[in-house]
Amino acid sequence: MSIIEQSQNIRQGLSTRESRLLAQLAGAGHQIISVDDIETTLGVPPNTAREIASRLTEKGWLDRLFPGRFLIIPLAAGEEGLYTTHEYLIAAHVAEPMYIGYYSALSHHGLTEQVPRTVYVVTPTRAQSREIHGVPYRVTTVTERKFFGCEPTSIEGTTVQVSDLEKTLVDCADHPEFCGGLRELATAIRTADDRGCEWDTVGEYLERLDNGAATKRIVYLADQLGIDHPARKELIASFTSGYSLLDPTRPDTGSTDSTYRLRINVEPATLEPTES
């Protein structure tokens, strides 16, 4: 069967209105759509829009990602309609507003050699973590105060928000459990410094974040790695009085360090790079 014949067979399953809808949405650059998009494009009531989405899903032209969100299956997917899109494009619809953060952002910025299977989504709103096409999307809800430091990134021609390099370090210091633990954070800080990390910006972000444990971890790791942090004195002066775990993913053991107000539950030697 030729490509043209295959296309004609697939097209026969669409009504004129359905063809017009998909052509307009795809032509506008939409890969993932909502029922509201169908309602607006065709000028139909919500119930009708839902019925159209259901029919197009049954015909294999839409893939229901989760309630109210559908992936347009392009003609190039063939008769079987086996198709997916970049995980970040799907993540952009899991929560609004949002940005890609933590381990996913480390990978995006090339600050880790690991390829995390989970996509980490940061949002100030309530949203549900879910698995789509076998990929886990882990939603972390933060306060409005912590929702900053992201930048627009083009993914397959669509803009997606990702935490910038400096905010990625700060977020991971805030929640090392979302980036593979302290060793991954140490590797990221070392690599970021080699790439010209703006440490003044890191200091500003830590001040805005206002999380004592995150600040202590950044200062401690910078010292261990021999990084000259320009705001070190100011950050040390802001340390909270309590002792925080250096690595919250590890047991509450080890000695306390009064300089950093940390319980050192990770051997400093394990933070050094491994021999290749």
Side-chain angles (χ1 to χ4, degrees), residues 103 106 169 172-190 213-214 216-218 220-221 224-225 245-250 262-268 270-272:
Y103 222 156
L106 286 184
L169 297 181
C172 290
D174 188 23
H175 286 289
E177 66 272 25
F178 297 153
C179 76
L182 205 75
R183 181 163 186 167
E184 280 295 312
L185 177 57
T187 298
I189 287 176
R190 184 188 303 110
K216 296 169 188 177
R217 291 177 188 128
I218 290 285
Y220 175 86
L221 289 174
Q224 290 294 315
L225 298 171
L245 284 178
L246 177 57
D247 189 345
T249 70
R250 300 283 184 106
L262 285 169
R263 180 171 292 279
I264 311 300
N265 61 342
V266 177
E267 288 295 329
T270 67
L271 304 177
E272 294 299 319

Side-chain angles (χ1 to χ4, degrees), residues 223-237:
D223 284 356
Q224 290 294 315
L225 298 171
I227 295 171
D228 183 18
H229 197 304
R232 183 180 184 277
K233 289 183 179 180
E234 291 79 0
L235 293 176
I236 288 178

Side-chain angles (χ1 to χ4, degrees), residues 105-123:
L106 286 184
S107 178
H108 172 77
H109 290 294
L111 301 180
T112 176
E113 295 181 354
Q114 304 302 315
V115 181
R117 178 170 174 265
T118 298
V119 177
Y120 288 86
V121 178
V122 183
T123 179

Side-chain angles (χ1 to χ4, degrees), residues 54-96:
S54 179
R55 285 199 302 271
L56 287 172
T57 301
E58 291 175 0
K59 292 178 178 181
W61 285 90
L62 292 181
D63 178 16
R64 182 177 178 273
L65 300 176
F66 55 91
R69 289 292 187 275
F70 302 84
L71 174 66
I72 296 176
I73 307 299
L75 189 62
E79 289 180 298
E80 295 182 359
L82 298 177
Y83 179 77
T84 189
T85 189
H86 197 288
E87 292 90 344
Y88 289 5
L89 298 183
I90 294 176
H93 293 267
V94 169
E96 296 179 22

Side-chain angles (χ1 to χ4, degrees):
M1 180 182 294
S2 69
I3 294 178
I4 294 177
E5 290 172 336
Q6 179 178 325
S7 302
Q8 289 173 341
N9 286 341
I10 294 176
R11 288 293 186 186
Q12 286 173 0
L14 292 173
S15 68
T16 301
R17 182 168 67 172
E18 290 167 343
S19 294
R20 186 174 76 252
L21 169 68
L22 293 178
Q24 289 180 347
L25 290 172
H30 295 291
Q31 293 189 49
I32 298 173
I33 64 170
S34 65
V35 172
D36 288 344
D37 293 326
I38 297 175
E39 181 182 344
T40 301
T41 302
L42 295 180
V44 296
N47 286 343
T48 301
R50 284 192 288 269
E51 291 172 1
I52 292 172
S54 179
R55 285 199 302 271
L56 287 172
T57 301
E58 291 175 0
K59 292 178 178 181
W61 285 90
L62 292 181
D63 178 16
R64 182 177 178 273
L65 300 176
F66 55 91
R69 289 292 187 275
F70 302 84
L71 174 66
I72 296 176
I73 307 299
L75 189 62
E79 289 180 298
E80 295 182 359
L82 298 177
Y83 179 77
T84 189
T85 189
H86 197 288
E87 292 90 344
Y88 289 5
L89 298 183
I90 294 176
H93 293 267
V94 169
E96 296 179 22
M98 57 74 69
Y99 65 77
I100 303 293
Y102 302 114
Y103 222 156
S104 301
L106 286 184
S107 178
H108 172 77
H109 290 294
L111 301 180
T112 176
E113 295 181 354
Q114 304 302 315
V115 181
R117 178 170 174 265
T118 298
V119 177
Y120 288 86
V121 178
V122 183
T123 179
T125 63
R126 292 290 180 184
Q128 181 180 343
S129 296
R130 53 184 81 244
E131 184 171 307
I132 302 170
H133 293 169
V135 177
Y137 291 81
R138 170 68 159 84
V139 174
T140 300
T141 300
V142 299
T143 63
E144 290 283 353
R145 175 173 54 81
K146 291 185 177 183
F147 191 74
F148 67 92
C150 53
E151 58 188 8
T153 303
S154 179
I155 304 293
E156 297 181 0
T158 299
T159 298
V160 176
Q161 297 295 325
V162 181
S163 58
D164 63 33
L165 186 144
E166 288 77 15
K167 184 59 175 355
T168 298
L169 297 181
V170 169
D171 280 350
C172 290
D174 188 23
H175 286 289
E177 66 272 25
F178 297 153
C179 76
L182 205 75
R183 181 163 186 167
E184 280 295 312
L185 177 57
T187 298
I189 287 176
R190 184 188 303 110
T191 304
D193 186 58
D194 291 341
R195 296 183 181 179
C197 174
E198 296 289 341
W199 288 107
D200 282 329
T201 300
V202 171
E204 293 170 7
Y205 283 177
L206 286 169
E207 184 177 352
R208 289 182 62 179
L209 194 75
D210 193 25
N211 180 297
T215 302
K216 296 169 188 177
R217 291 177 188 128
I218 290 285
V219 173
Y220 175 86
L221 289 174
D223 284 356
Q224 290 294 315
L225 298 171
I227 295 171
D228 183 18
H229 197 304
R232 183 180 184 277
K233 289 183 179 180
E234 291 79 0
L235 293 176
I236 288 178
S238 73
F239 283 174
T240 51
S241 58
Y243 281 82
S244 308
L245 284 178
L246 177 57
D247 189 345
T249 70
R250 300 283 184 106
D252 185 0
T253 58
S255 61
T256 57
D257 189 314
S258 60
T259 299
Y260 302 100
R261 310 298 293 180
L262 285 169
R263 180 171 292 279
I264 311 300
N265 61 342
V266 177
E267 288 295 329
T270 67
L271 304 177
E272 294 299 319
T274 56
E275 294 296 330
S276 56

